[in-house]
Amino acid sequence: MITSAYIHIPFCQQICHYCDFTKFFYNEDLANQYLEALDKEIETAVGKKQTYMRTIFVGGGTPTALNYHQLEKLLQTIASAFDVNNCEEYTFEANPGEFDEQKLTLLKRYGVNRISFGVQVFDDQMLKKIGRLHRVQDVYDNLRLFEKHQFDNVSIDLIYGLPDQTLEHFQHTLDEAIQLDLPHYSTYCLQIEPKTVFYQRYQKGKLHKPVEELEADMYDMLVHKMEGNGNVQYEISNFARPGFESKHNLTYWNNEYYYGFGAGSHGYVPGYRTVNIRPLPRYIEQAKETGMPILHKEEVTLQAQIEEQMFLGLRKKEGVSKSQFFNRFGRPIETLYEQPLTYLQEKGWMEEEGDYVRVTSNGRLFANSVFQEFLLESIEE
């Protein structure tokens, strides 16, 4: 059963130097066409019957880059397809400085109950350096608006490992973020991705990331400061007060099914993973014509399901349940992965406790190396 939906809005007022998501500069006419195409795609998948969704996540790009009337059209599309009144977690991504009273009132009226806020760093010069339009004061101004309109489930994004960033600089951002006493924080170490401004500069030797040891120190500081202030690390990069963990993101980490709507979006439906067409003109044309703008549809084999269960589940602090794994795949983790489990436990990177196998705090610093150990050569279907 599919009870989660991701909806992608690819428009931005400015393209950040590090972003490799599907994104385009905002254009009013193109945005109108896109919303019509998106409406057709969603209607084709679920109809206009207010289907139950446990979680809805509207991301980007920047959904709040849309003007007021476009934002209302998007919210109407979602409300006509999904039962937003009974949605447990309905999230909108937003950038500081792109909110006003009207837009926030609109979101509240249509049932949005969570904001994912793209803060990134508490330093105006660094914000400019990474291609962000907002400034620190915009963050505080918008947070006051959220409080006024009783949005109490707010998450902010933070990035570390930025060009020329020092440990002291990141500590300042952490201290500023923590004193806000918000219920959720998502954190990311900068990855230099192809087709970004940072990638071009890196290739030319004009961009210098902190060395791995410094990034590890930043991560260690992050964990200790967050947990020292009551924010529990429930996933490698995410911290929350108990009860405010991201239910939508847990859908991904629990390897559960979800719809993916919009240009370049990914979905996971029973038996298949899907990727939508990315270029806007092609997406719009195909979505309007057929309602199914799918670029690629790949069958998920049993081997892939097992590997993904481990890769995704081990991102969570609690780890992977041995009993749930057996119930789903009919094979014990201990038998299927005897060698890597022994090897990783001897290195101190993994541990077993009761029904769970999990990555240790030390192992999280080497998460990618840990995950690679759970690739299978072959498996009998």
Side-chain angles (χ1 to χ4, degrees):
M1 183 177 180
I2 306 175
T3 58
S4 291
Y6 173 78
I7 300 167
H8 191 72
I9 305 301
F11 300 103
C12 295
Q13 297 292 347
Q14 180 164 310
I15 306 300
C16 301
H17 296 342
Y18 52 84
C19 180
D20 73 329
F21 294 123
T22 303
K23 74 281 184 186
F24 303 89
F25 283 109
Y26 173 77
N27 173 283
E28 184 175 7
D29 181 61
L30 194 59
N32 286 332
Q33 295 180 53
Y34 182 82
L35 292 174
E36 290 178 14
L38 183 65
D39 182 84
K40 178 68 178 291
E41 183 191 4
I42 294 174
E43 182 180 1
T44 300
V46 300
K48 289 187 178 293
K49 54 186 178 182
Q50 295 191 317
T51 302
Y52 170 73
M53 284 288 124
R54 181 169 177 264
T55 71
I56 300 170
F57 194 105
V58 184
T62 315
T64 49
L66 299 173
N67 66 36
Y68 179 87
H69 297 294
Q70 291 168 337
L71 187 59
E72 185 169 33
K73 177 177 175 57
L74 171 62
L75 289 162
Q76 289 171 345
T77 289
I78 296 170
S80 66
F82 304 119
D83 181 6
V84 297
N85 292 323
N86 290 303
C87 182
E88 293 181 24
E89 184 184 272
Y90 185 1
T91 304
F92 252 71
E93 278 189 351
N95 278 340
E98 292 185 0
F99 263 121
D100 56 28
E101 293 270 1
Q102 280 190 314
K103 286 185 178 180
L104 203 56
T105 301
L106 194 61
L107 295 184
K108 193 76 172 180
R109 175 152 43 99
Y110 277 89
V112 176
N113 56 27
R114 184 174 185 269
I115 300 293
S116 179
F117 208 34
V119 172
Q120 315 312 350
V121 65
F122 283 88
D123 180 272
D124 284 346
Q125 291 302 312
M126 184 65 81
L127 286 169
K128 185 177 181 180
K129 190 173 183 178
I130 66 177
R132 302 289 291 179
L133 275 178
H134 79 270
R135 296 297 176 257
V136 174
Q137 187 58 48
D138 296 321
V139 175
Y140 292 110
D141 291 344
N142 281 169
L143 286 173
R144 281 193 289 270
L145 271 182
F146 298 158
E147 185 176 1
K148 177 181 177 181
H149 289 270
Q150 299 180 317
F151 277 96
D152 57 3
N153 194 352
V154 177
S155 173
I156 65 172
D157 293 346
L158 302 174
I159 300 180
Y160 63 96
L162 292 165
D164 303 315
Q165 188 177 37
T166 65
L167 191 63
E168 292 73 22
H169 182 277
F170 182 53
Q171 180 177 343
H172 169 73
T173 279
L174 271 181
D175 290 342
E176 289 285 311
I178 288 170
Q179 75 171 2
L180 295 173
D181 194 28
L182 297 172
H184 192 280
Y185 297 87
S186 291
T187 63
Y188 307 92
C189 184
L190 175 68
Q191 301 297 313
I192 298 177
E193 304 288 355
K195 299 181 181 179
T196 64
V197 172
F198 273 178
Y199 181 80
Q200 295 170 5
R201 292 179 183 174
Y202 185 74
Q203 291 295 97
K204 296 176 181 178
K206 296 181 178 180
L207 182 145
H208 304 285
K209 272 177 60 66
V211 296
E212 290 185 2
E213 291 80 5
L214 179 53
E215 290 180 350
D217 288 342
M218 290 178 179
Y219 182 75
D220 188 58
M221 176 190 290
L222 166 69
V223 172
H224 283 88
K225 279 187 171 287
M226 284 291 177
E227 295 201 325
N229 284 273
N231 303 297
V232 178
Q233 183 184 25
Y234 69 100
E235 190 268 347
I236 286 177
S237 301
N238 286 265
F239 303 80
R241 294 207 300 260
F244 285 89
E245 299 85 355
S246 171
K247 295 177 181 178
H248 185 83
N249 285 344
L250 282 167
T251 297
Y252 303 146
W253 301 323
N254 289 331
N255 205 22
E256 297 170 352
Y257 300 129
Y258 59 93
Y259 290 111
F261 298 116
S265 65
H266 294 237
Y268 183 28
V269 298
Y272 296 92
R273 288 198 181 272
T274 61
V275 181
N276 272 1
I277 295 168
R278 187 165 178 153
L280 276 191
R282 285 186 55 210
Y283 167 83
I284 291 169
E285 179 182 7
Q286 189 70 15
K288 286 185 176 180
E289 185 177 328
T290 68
M292 299 177 65
I294 296 174
L295 172 67
H296 184 63
K297 184 176 182 180
E298 180 180 1
E299 183 178 359
V300 182
T301 64
L302 176 60
Q303 178 174 332
Q305 291 178 51
I306 290 173
E307 291 172 343
E308 290 170 356
Q309 189 79 5
M310 298 304 294
F311 299 160
L312 296 168
L314 289 175
R315 291 188 62 89
K316 298 181 296 179
K317 187 174 183 179
E318 70 176 8
V320 177
S321 163
K322 292 183 282 188
S323 60
Q324 290 178 8
F325 185 95
F326 182 81
N327 291 337
R328 182 166 184 173
F329 302 113
R331 304 155 194 253
I333 286 180
E334 303 95 314
T335 302
L336 196 58
Y337 286 116
E338 180 180 5
Q339 185 174 343
L341 285 173
T342 300
Y343 166 70
L344 291 168
Q345 287 180 54
E346 288 176 351
K347 287 184 72 69
W349 290 358
M350 284 198 70
E351 63 186 4
E352 293 187 43
E353 183 178 349
D355 185 44
Y356 285 87
V357 295
R358 63 171 65 94
V359 181
T360 63
S361 56
N362 188 41
R364 291 186 202 117
L365 296 172
F366 309 95
N368 289 335
S369 297
V370 172
F371 299 156
Q372 287 175 8
E373 293 295 322
F374 293 93
L375 290 169
L376 294 166
E377 290 186 7
S378 63
I379 191 172
E380 293 183 7
E381 296 286 336

